[in-house]
Amino acid sequence: MRLLTLRNLVASSLVVVSVSAQGQLYAQCGGSGWSGSTACVSGATCTYINDYYSQCLPGSATVSSTTVKTSSTSASSPSSTAAALKYVGVNIAGFDFGCATDGTCVIADVYPPLSSQGGNDGEGQMKHFFNDDGFNTFRLPVGWQFLTNGVVGGTLNDANFQKYDQLVQACLRTGATCIIDIHNYARWNGGVIGQGGPTNEQFAALWTSLAGKYKSQSKVWFGVVNEPHDVADITAWGVTVQAVVTAIRNAGATTQNILLPGNNWASAAAFVSSGSAAALKGITNPDGTNTGLIFDVHKYLDSDNSGTHTECTTNNISEAWEPLSAWLRANGNRQIIVTETGGGNTASCVKYMCEQIKYQAKNSDVILGYVGWSAGNFANTYELSEVPTLSGSTWTDTLLVKSCMAPIAGAQN
């Protein structure tokens, strides 16, 4: 669904790696240039993740050899020595709970991801992710209705804002980049912003208030709105986003990044074909520059790109990342950040997610990074959970995080 396939990657030579001592569970056991063990301890299987990384994952078989594939490099891609991704993180969800895709948000359903407010220990999660895993970015979703206590416009409800600000401040204390995300799908109670719903001025007023609160915080970024979809007039949507950018800058937040989302649920694959790229690329700061204006895209790895299945079927390279990277370079080396991606804690998602991350890291001149969905107040049983578990003082990550998504997992290297 919503995929644009241009070409497939071409695999080339095969190299057989010999066996030495057995690797422990979750240890590396193969990959291009790997000279260590290709066998795993009993109960684990050496599983191909990508051309550069195989890993001992839970399984009944013990392998004695690993086949490592090396792929040709796309002509539009930088070399494999490109710098690793600059921003890698996790969504800390809860203040967005109760928000539906039609832009309705039931304030009573908000579940703050802070133990001091009755939720999970989101602050502890962020400290663990930052200190132990190497994550450096957290996206903090929140509903527009919660911030204004159900009144459309930009006047912040002081009590509710203070609750949300506790999460922002907890994020800032880690030293990470903190993304404020209005999780409303370009809507308020069913009406599209600037197209029959709230006016551009009402939405811009919200951002004037938020930018005024955080204008001195260099680590705070502004995510205009989560996943616009079924926006009838994409050109008019560009006008709405321009109004927000102008409001944020005029409020004194002149240096922080602003994340610009397109239509089709912010789909990376549909960013160009949907008209979003054309509508957003001309947005500027008040001084006429596009400095700090980053395109905001999402991409899941399951069969229908919905992010609702525990199994993954694609690394998104040919249908999304290759064509989008080429477009970004052809249009002034503009940049994107992937503020939602994820998969189940399964071997298929480990394989495809690591391949996706590897490609993104090789294209880090135009792809700034990714933020996984999701931790915070999700239950451990949630299909795409990245919620770590705490036993005593020890945090334990989910399979996908420890195997692939955390910078220390090595998928970028």
Side-chain angles (χ1 to χ4, degrees):
M1 184 173 69
R2 304 190 298 274
L3 299 180
L4 177 63
T5 302
L6 296 186
R7 65 180 182 273
N8 295 322
L9 293 178
V10 179
S12 58
S13 60
L14 298 177
V15 180
V16 177
V17 182
S18 62
V19 180
S20 55
Q22 292 183 332
Q24 298 298 310
L25 188 63
Y26 301 119
Q28 184 174 358
C29 57
S32 179
W34 174 250
S35 59
S37 173
T38 59
C40 301
V41 295
S42 178
T45 299
C46 189
T47 303
Y48 171 80
I49 305 300
N50 54 49
D51 296 341
Y52 304 90
Y53 193 74
S54 294
Q55 186 175 35
C56 293
L57 296 179
S60 58
T62 300
V63 300
S64 59
S65 65
T66 299
T67 300
V68 180
K69 296 180 284 185
T70 59
S71 297
S72 62
T73 301
S74 168
S76 64
S77 303
S79 71
S80 60
T81 59
L85 295 165
K86 189 172 182 181
Y87 299 99
V88 179
V90 182
N91 279 265
I92 307 298
F95 277 104
D96 56 315
F97 283 17
C99 289
T101 58
D102 64 353
T104 58
C105 294
V106 179
I107 296 173
D109 289 345
V110 166
Y111 189 16
L114 292 165
S115 55
S116 63
Q117 296 185 36
N120 288 346
D121 185 8
E123 181 169 12
Q125 291 178 15
M126 288 188 286
K127 288 179 179 178
H128 157 67
F129 284 136
F130 185 87
N131 294 324
D132 301 333
D133 288 341
F135 288 110
N136 63 5
T137 306
F138 300 108
R139 183 173 180 249
L140 312 175
V142 63
W144 183 358
Q145 286 90 332
F146 178 79
L147 291 173
T148 63
N149 203 33
V151 179
V152 70
T155 302
L156 299 175
N157 177 270
D158 187 63
N160 287 357
F161 171 73
Q162 290 302 323
K163 291 177 180 179
Y164 177 68
D165 184 58
Q166 288 181 35
L167 183 65
V168 177
Q169 298 304 322
C171 176
L172 290 170
R173 283 193 293 272
T174 68
T177 294
C178 308
I179 302 172
I180 295 175
D181 160 52
I182 302 302
H183 214 76
N184 275 69
Y185 305 90
R187 286 161 167 75
W188 172 286
N189 294 348
V192 176
I193 301 165
Q195 300 184 41
T199 65
N200 291 344
E201 292 74 18
Q202 288 173 320
F203 191 43
L206 172 70
W207 277 111
T208 294
S209 296
L210 289 170
K213 295 287 187 181
Y214 297 112
K215 62 185 179 181
S216 64
Q217 296 288 351
S218 62
K219 295 265 187 182
V220 169
W221 292 7
F222 305 111
V224 170
V225 75
N226 179 67
E227 291 189 344
H229 66 89
D230 300 293
V231 174
D233 188 337
I234 191 62
T235 301
W237 176 244
V239 174
T240 299
V241 177
Q242 179 66 73
V244 171
V245 169
T246 301
I248 290 172
R249 297 305 191 213
N250 287 345
T254 58
T255 60
Q256 296 99 323
N257 283 346
I258 303 175
L259 309 186
L260 316 181
N263 205 358
N264 296 81
W265 310 88
S267 169
F271 186 72
V272 177
S273 62
S274 68
S276 295
L280 298 178
K281 72 177 182 179
I283 291 173
T284 65
N285 297 307
D287 64 3
T289 69
N290 57 31
T291 304
L293 304 183
I294 311 299
F295 300 126
D296 184 358
V297 300
H298 293 178
K299 197 73 179 76
Y300 288 96
L301 292 80
D302 52 358
S303 58
D304 60 0
N305 190 39
S306 65
T308 59
H309 305 94
T310 57
E311 296 294 339
C312 296
T313 62
T314 178
N315 57 24
N316 294 311
I317 292 173
S318 64
E319 61 266 41
W321 308 123
E322 278 190 337
L324 185 51
S325 295
W327 182 90
L328 292 164
R329 293 191 185 96
N331 287 270
N333 291 315
R334 297 296 298 271
Q335 295 177 315
I336 61 167
I337 186 166
V338 187
T339 58
E340 282 189 28
T341 191
N345 291 292
T346 58
S348 66
C349 289
V350 170
K351 167 181 165 59
Y352 289 117
M353 181 63 75
C354 278
E355 291 174 356
Q356 173 173 285
I357 293 170
K358 176 66 68 176
Y359 183 87
Q360 291 170 341
K362 288 182 179 180
N363 291 268
S364 60
D365 59 321
V366 292
I367 303 176
L368 289 179
Y370 59 88
V371 187
W373 185 268
S374 188
N377 255 347
F378 278 104
N380 287 9
T381 54
Y382 172 56
E383 288 89 345
L384 306 189
S385 175
E386 294 182 25
V387 178
T389 57
L390 180 63
S391 178
S393 60
T394 301
W395 291 93
T396 301
D397 286 315
T398 63
L399 175 65
L400 191 61
V401 168
K402 72 173 68 173
S403 302
C404 190
M405 298 192 77
I408 61 166
Q412 300 182 57
N413 300 322

